[in-house]
Amino acid sequence: MPVVGDSLGEMQATTVAKEIALAVDGLSYAYGKRTVLDRVSFQVEKGSLIGILGPNGSGKTTLFRLLSTLYAAPSGMITLAGYSYPGQAAAARRRMGIVFQSPSLDKKLTVAENMVHQGHLYGLRGSVLRKKVEDLLRLFGLDERARDLVETLSGGQQRRVEVAKALLHEPELLLLDEPSTGIDPVARRDFWRHLFALKEQKRLTILVTTHLLDEAERCDRLLILDRGKRVAWETPSRLRALIPGSVLSVRSAKLLEIEEELKRIWAGRRIRRVDGALRIEPRSEESVEDAMRDAADLLQRFGGDVTALTVSQPSLEDVFLHLTGHHFQSQNEESDGTAEH
Amino acid sequence: MEPRNTSIAFGGFGLGVFTLWSREVVRFLRQKNRVVGALGTPLVFWFLIGSGVGSSFRTGGTHSGDYFSYFFPGMLLLVVLFTAIFSTISLIEDRREGFLQAVLVAPIPRSAVVAAKLLGGMTLSVLQCLLIYFLALPLGLHFSLGSFALVVATLCLLGLALTGLGYLLAWPLDSVQGYHALMNLLLMPLWLLSGALFPPDGSVGWMRAIIHANPLYYGLELLRAAMWPGRSSASLWLFGAITLLFTAAVGMAAVVITDRVRVRHP
């Protein structure tokens, strides 16, 4: 399994001058005998937006829980906003805002009441707290709903309250677990717009777990996990550069026959079936002309049977496939190692 | 393994307890069916057992008067028990919903989470009991400032202890069904065998031994002594000390379990 991204040694050399918002070194975790995180390391610079990407069972949920200080790992180091965890848990917690996947709002309370309780838990009170609640609700376009019970809000609005709540104590580090779960595409776009604005305005470091590849594309850097191991720690564009050239995708009613034939004539190239289409990775060194010739070749051979042929930039999906040797989505159906129900 | 919280400043404790406690109370009051259920159930029990079934047998022994008045302190204990159960079921819901996760990663000590829960259960049960107590006063309950103070103090301790017991059962569980099973297995027998329904003196030896080993018996006798002086042979100081110790032990156990037992979050 290829591992990309800088080694630990390089990282230490290049990040001396940079402010580190979060550092993880050699982090491992096991449920009984089953290892779910295997010596994961990475460092996050202040002000960046980081995506943790991986299918279910990759260890991403466990990593999130360890980082959110829900429980501690027996081996490895975690430094959150400059404080080691679990040693300096309280100091670290005061500088972190966390939004879990499952909603943490009390639906029987109003939006403002939820915010005030959260403020109290973080040591804020009185007029200072009231002002902050007002400001944040206005920032998230929720000031009109402050007195409404949370259960009367839409899914997208509730998500926004969750984030507003996590920002009350002005954290340096914001952790979000699958923030788009259960909200519609419009609300999702809205949500990410808010997130980017925050990152710019407050130089907030944001770490987000996701299984949605289009969300991952927006991150500054991606940590890709597979079966508890770090398989990549790179920017989305550099990840895509791992696959030089264009990916060909063929749709056809005779997919199996075409696949067989292609594997024969293009032996040595990766050809996979993904969502009812054949995806063909480019050769190791490929020009645009090569891709054009391949496409023409394909049409000449199977023209009548091809319903669609696309030539595209490699997606993160392709990269994941390239790195791990298996498909991203198909993992979702497998038993989930970290679900812990 | 749970992270240790020793480095968390004490300052966050009071505000944390206050905010979580007030959430418990507000939540209770917003759910009208909970209010109705909490007040209605003991009244139905009181009526059925005290006047309906009660007339078909007599308590015997040295006790005079009807079963109605014997049963009254036991009924208050039942109110406390029901409230404790409802308050701690919400722990399981909070875990499933995600509210608890957010509280556990806040910079407050975990003992604040326990304290708020126990105080919340205590507040609700004491208020309900006092409401019923004042309704029952004209029926011949002894009243003096001293006895009132004893009733309130005992109810507070029982409220903390039973909510604490419920907490110990609820903390490791992830389903409400599992809690109901444990509740029927442990909490209801604990009430039945506390002397709430029948006095230990009239029962067979082993039953008497069980009742005397039940920590709730001592709190119950304190209530009885406060409401009908002379009806109970309780030594106030001894029984008070036993109830206090029991409450303290349960409270500490709840803090330990919260700190040490890592529970999976769905």
Side-chain angles (χ1 to χ4, degrees):
Chain A
M1 181 179 302
V3 173
V4 296
D6 35 19
S7 76
L8 197 64
E10 280 171 335
M11 238 161 38
Q12 279 159 351
T14 53
T15 52
V16 172
K18 302 235 169 74
E19 254 184 290
I20 298 300
L22 178 132
V24 169
D25 190 7
L27 193 66
S28 296
Y29 200 82
Y31 294 107
K33 281 187 177 166
R34 200 165 46 85
T35 304
V36 284
L37 275 184
D38 191 4
R39 286 160 293 164
V40 172
S41 303
F42 61 99
Q43 288 194 357
V44 178
E45 281 166 27
K46 194 171 160 65
S48 50
L49 172 60
I50 300 300
I52 303 180
L53 189 67
N56 286 339
S58 60
K60 115 185 115 130
T61 309
T62 303
L63 176 61
F64 187 87
R65 285 176 183 170
L66 292 172
L67 293 180
S68 65
T69 75
L70 210 49
Y71 36 82
S75 69
M77 286 259 302
I78 299 180
T79 311
L80 300 159
Y83 294 88
S84 74
Y85 176 76
Q88 296 166 299
R93 283 173 179 175
R94 257 181 237 117
R95 286 159 185 82
M96 285 165 58
I98 301 159
V99 179
F100 288 102
Q101 193 177 344
S102 40
S104 71
L105 300 171
D106 188 328
K107 296 198 167 71
K108 298 284 172 205
L109 302 184
T110 67
V111 172
E113 283 169 339
N114 268 290
M115 298 284 282
V116 166
H117 283 310
Q118 173 84 1
H120 285 164
L121 290 177
Y122 283 79
L124 302 167
R125 62 169 97 194
S127 54
V128 178
L129 176 57
R130 271 200 302 279
K131 177 89 173 51
K132 278 185 197 265
V133 170
E134 262 174 46
D135 290 349
L136 273 169
L137 288 181
R138 199 174 311 118
L139 178 69
F140 281 83
L142 291 158
D143 39 345
E144 310 241 304
R145 306 299 306 263
R147 284 160 187 278
D148 294 341
L149 291 183
V150 168
E151 58 191 2
T152 65
L153 267 61
S154 73
Q157 286 170 330
Q158 290 187 12
R159 277 274 120 182
R160 297 215 299 271
V161 181
E162 294 272 1
V163 179
K165 186 169 86 94
L167 292 170
L168 260 180
H169 59 289
E170 297 184 8
E172 297 165 29
L173 188 61
L174 181 65
L175 307 184
L176 304 146
D177 193 10
E178 302 275 357
S180 309
T181 305
I183 60 174
D184 60 79
V186 178
R188 218 172 97 190
R189 209 164 45 233
D190 227 33
F191 180 84
W192 277 88
R193 194 171 48 79
H194 279 296
L195 222 52
F196 280 119
L198 278 171
K199 188 191 145 203
E200 297 305 317
Q201 285 165 18
K202 316 209 166 188
R203 237 191 123 214
L204 195 63
T205 311
I206 304 175
L207 193 125
V208 54
T209 71
T210 184
H211 67 277
L212 300 170
L213 295 151
D214 64 319
E215 285 188 0
E217 298 271 2
R218 307 172 197 225
C219 296
D220 296 327
R221 226 166 208 259
L222 290 173
L223 175 74
I224 298 184
L225 292 175
D226 184 49
R227 293 173 193 154
K229 284 195 163 61
R230 183 184 103 173
V231 292
W233 173 234
E234 258 308 349
T235 62
S237 58
R238 283 222 221 127
L239 280 173
R240 271 196 303 275
L242 287 173
I243 304 179
S246 315
V247 173
L248 289 175
S249 169
V250 183
R251 283 185 187 277
S252 164
K254 294 184 178 172
L255 215 58
L256 287 174
E257 290 153 48
I258 297 179
E259 184 182 4
E260 221 167 280
E261 179 72 6
L262 284 180
K263 279 189 172 161
R264 199 175 53 78
I265 57 168
W266 285 339
R269 287 174 76 166
R270 280 182 195 241
I271 300 170
R272 284 201 178 74
R273 244 177 301 144
V274 178
D275 298 331
L278 277 184
R279 286 188 83 83
I280 302 140
E281 271 190 27
R283 298 182 183 84
S284 43
E285 277 181 32
E286 192 184 76
S287 62
V288 181
E289 287 75 31
D290 291 332
M292 304 263 283
R293 210 166 23 248
D294 286 344
D297 196 12
L298 256 169
L299 282 177
Q300 218 157 35
R301 280 172 195 268
F302 313 106
D305 297 325
V306 171
T307 50
L309 175 67
T310 36
V311 183
S312 57
Q313 286 287 307
S315 67
L316 283 176
E317 171 87 61
D318 296 313
V319 175
F320 188 83
L321 211 70
H322 178 83
L323 286 173
T324 65
H326 58 84
H327 182 36
F328 189 82
Q329 297 296 337
S330 69
Q331 289 284 300
N332 284 342
E333 278 101 57
E334 283 178 20
S335 72
D336 177 0
T338 54
E340 308 165 51
H341 286 287
Chain B
M1 199 173 90
E2 284 295 337
R4 307 294 303 144
N5 288 318
T6 42
S7 57
I8 289 170
F10 195 73
F13 185 85
L15 195 56
V17 171
F18 164 76
T19 207
L20 292 174
W21 168 85
S22 64
R23 176 215 172 217
E24 294 277 328
V25 176
V26 168
R27 227 181 121 77
F28 173 82
L29 296 174
R30 294 246 166 104
Q31 292 165 285
K32 297 284 176 278
N33 49 353
R34 257 182 91 186
V35 180
V36 171
L39 291 177
T41 320
L43 291 174
V44 171
F45 262 73
W46 188 11
F47 178 75
L48 285 179
I49 298 180
S51 56
V53 188
S55 58
S56 58
F57 63 93
R58 290 287 160 212
T59 52
T62 56
H63 297 293
S64 57
D66 56 349
Y67 188 63
F68 186 81
S69 58
Y70 176 81
F71 184 60
F72 187 72
M75 195 196 69
L76 291 187
L77 186 64
L78 190 66
V79 174
V80 177
L81 182 66
F82 279 153
T83 311
I85 287 169
F86 279 116
S87 304
T88 46
I89 276 183
S90 68
L91 191 66
I92 299 170
E93 288 165 353
D94 285 347
R95 187 190 300 286
R96 207 177 38 203
E97 290 283 312
F99 183 87
L100 188 65
Q101 278 183 325
V103 172
L104 290 180
V105 299
I108 56 163
R110 297 222 164 156
S111 54
V113 180
V114 180
K117 201 75 191 169
L118 267 53
L119 287 171
M122 181 197 89
T123 308
L124 297 178
S125 54
V126 170
L127 287 179
Q128 286 172 68
C129 283
L130 286 183
L131 196 67
I132 299 168
Y133 173 79
F134 285 123
L135 284 176
L137 264 186
L139 299 174
L141 265 67
H142 169 73
F143 186 85
S144 69
L145 277 183
S147 77
F148 180 69
L150 182 59
V151 167
V152 173
T154 309
L155 285 176
C156 284
L157 287 180
L158 287 173
L160 289 173
L162 282 174
T163 313
L165 276 182
Y167 189 100
L168 288 176
L169 296 182
W171 180 261
L173 294 178
D174 58 2
S175 85
V176 176
Q177 287 90 334
Y179 187 87
H180 279 295
L182 280 182
M183 178 187 103
N184 287 336
L185 186 72
L186 296 172
L187 294 180
M188 288 314 284
L190 203 62
W191 176 76
L192 288 169
L193 297 173
S194 65
L197 278 177
F198 50 87
D201 299 340
S203 13
V204 291
W206 62 268
M207 185 72 88
R208 192 161 55 231
I210 290 181
I211 294 178
H212 283 150
N214 185 343
L216 295 184
Y217 166 72
Y218 301 93
L220 194 66
E221 281 300 302
L222 285 177
L223 288 180
R224 194 162 280 140
M227 293 171 186
W228 285 277
R231 192 75 82 76
S232 170
S233 57
S235 141
L236 294 187
W237 288 111
L238 178 65
F239 281 31
I242 292 173
T243 308
L244 186 65
L245 275 178
F246 173 62
T247 307
V250 171
M252 275 192 274
V255 172
V256 170
I257 198 174
T258 308
D259 226 18
R260 299 282 160 81
V261 179
R262 205 205 78 199
V263 183
R264 294 164 169 199
H265 295 263

